[in-house]
Amino acid sequence: MKLISQTSINNGVSIHYLDSHPDSDFSLTPLLICPGLSETAEEYQDLLEYLIPRRCIGGQSGTPLTGYDLKDHVADIESVVKSTGINHFHLYAFSRGVSYALEYTRLHPDQIGKLIILDYPSEHKAMPMDWPKAYIENYLVPFNRLSHIRPEAVRGIQRESVQRSIKFSSEKPILVMRGLLEGSIISSEELEEYKEQFSNLQIAELKNSGHDFRSTERSKLYKIIKEFVE
């Protein structure tokens, strides 16, 4: 399968994405992917291939001088939606990408079929002053991920992100997944908040995972996603 590599532009910022458009069955609702903080579109290639013939789109933005708060990331999603021409789709998000997907769903409810939330609470987090140094030195450098996200972007996120809760009610089918091991970011209390917000909620808990499902239980994760969107 050959994925199409495309770029959309949001206020001068390039958003690179992969699209399985050529091999898609257009009777199936497309899936749009909001990756985690340092994830790339290429890291989702296997998921895009796994879900064929469903059209899947996944990508990440560049590194602007400014534009790292919630509204800016939502605008990135809007740019990709416009570029791809999709007007109704399922939305998948992991980690910090969840806050972008939740806010997009709140603003554009008619566009969303089903929503998949992976291991993140219903909030947009402001990051502490010491977070960029720790994230770069303890994660990006030792795990060779500096090519995935530049330090300038990490610092921009800390500098511009404003803490806010993202609360709204919805009857859409929504899947919330969390790990049960140390490292999971959704607490039991935060899971209860999702239950209060969404009346058509499914919960999947992965007992052998913390936060990074794709490293620990990838096959199970992909199977759950596929069954949910079908």
Side-chain angles (χ1 to χ4, degrees):
M1 184 195 73
K2 183 179 177 63
L3 300 175
I4 295 177
S5 178
Q6 299 278 22
T7 300
S8 68
I9 304 296
N10 173 34
N11 291 326
V13 179
S14 296
I15 300 100
H16 167 248
Y17 63 90
L18 294 178
D19 189 347
S20 64
H21 179 287
D23 297 305
S24 300
D25 179 348
F26 290 95
S27 68
L28 301 174
T29 303
L31 177 69
L32 181 63
I33 297 170
C34 293
L37 182 58
S38 69
E39 293 184 316
T40 66
E42 285 73 17
E43 289 180 285
Y44 281 89
Q45 181 171 338
D46 62 337
L47 178 58
L48 270 63
E49 293 172 347
Y50 178 79
L51 292 175
I52 285 293
R54 186 180 304 277
R55 184 183 183 184
C56 295
I57 301 151
Q60 85 279 357
S61 66
T63 309
L65 294 175
T66 61
Y68 292 99
D69 198 17
L70 182 59
K71 66 180 184 301
D72 304 300
H73 294 289
V74 171
D76 287 344
I77 299 175
E78 292 169 342
S79 174
V80 173
V81 170
K82 181 178 180 180
S83 178
T84 57
I86 57 176
N87 53 32
H88 185 73
F89 51 93
H90 304 318
L91 188 54
Y92 162 112
F94 170 63
S95 195
R96 194 171 177 88
V98 166
S99 62
Y100 315 153
L102 284 170
E103 181 68 358
Y104 188 94
T105 301
R106 187 185 72 82
L107 294 173
H108 305 282
D110 293 342
Q111 291 186 338
I112 307 302
K114 298 180 179 181
L115 178 61
I116 302 171
I117 294 168
L118 270 67
D119 209 55
Y120 207 79
S122 54
E123 64 179 349
H124 183 61
K125 294 185 179 183
M127 307 308 288
M129 289 291 294
D130 60 351
W131 172 74
K133 184 176 189 305
Y135 186 72
I136 293 166
E137 294 182 0
N138 299 332
Y139 179 64
L140 295 184
V141 172
F143 290 94
N144 297 314
R145 298 188 70 83
L146 280 174
S147 61
H148 294 196
I149 181 171
R150 297 177 183 174
E152 293 87 346
V154 177
R155 298 185 187 103
I157 289 169
Q158 188 283 320
R159 183 179 63 247
E160 297 183 32
S161 294
V162 176
Q163 182 76 28
R164 58 163 289 189
S165 175
I166 307 175
K167 296 290 192 295
F168 61 97
S169 298
S170 177
E171 298 179 354
K172 295 180 182 298
I174 295 174
L175 171 65
V176 172
M177 303 181 69
R178 71 167 182 164
L180 294 180
L181 298 182
E182 183 179 356
S184 176
I185 295 181
I186 296 181
S187 67
S188 297
E189 292 75 18
E190 289 162 338
L191 189 61
E192 289 300 316
E193 292 180 359
Y194 275 124
K195 292 178 182 179
E196 293 172 3
Q197 287 180 256
F198 305 132
S199 59
N200 192 3
L201 179 69
Q202 295 183 36
I203 298 171
E205 297 177 315
L206 278 69
K207 64 180 181 180
N208 297 316
S209 296
H211 183 59
D212 188 3
F213 302 155
R214 291 195 303 121
S215 294
T216 50
E217 297 183 81
R218 182 179 303 225
S219 296
K220 183 176 182 179
L221 169 65
Y222 287 6
K223 183 175 184 291
I224 292 171
I225 293 169
K226 186 173 184 178
E227 290 176 351
F228 181 70
V229 296
E230 290 179 348

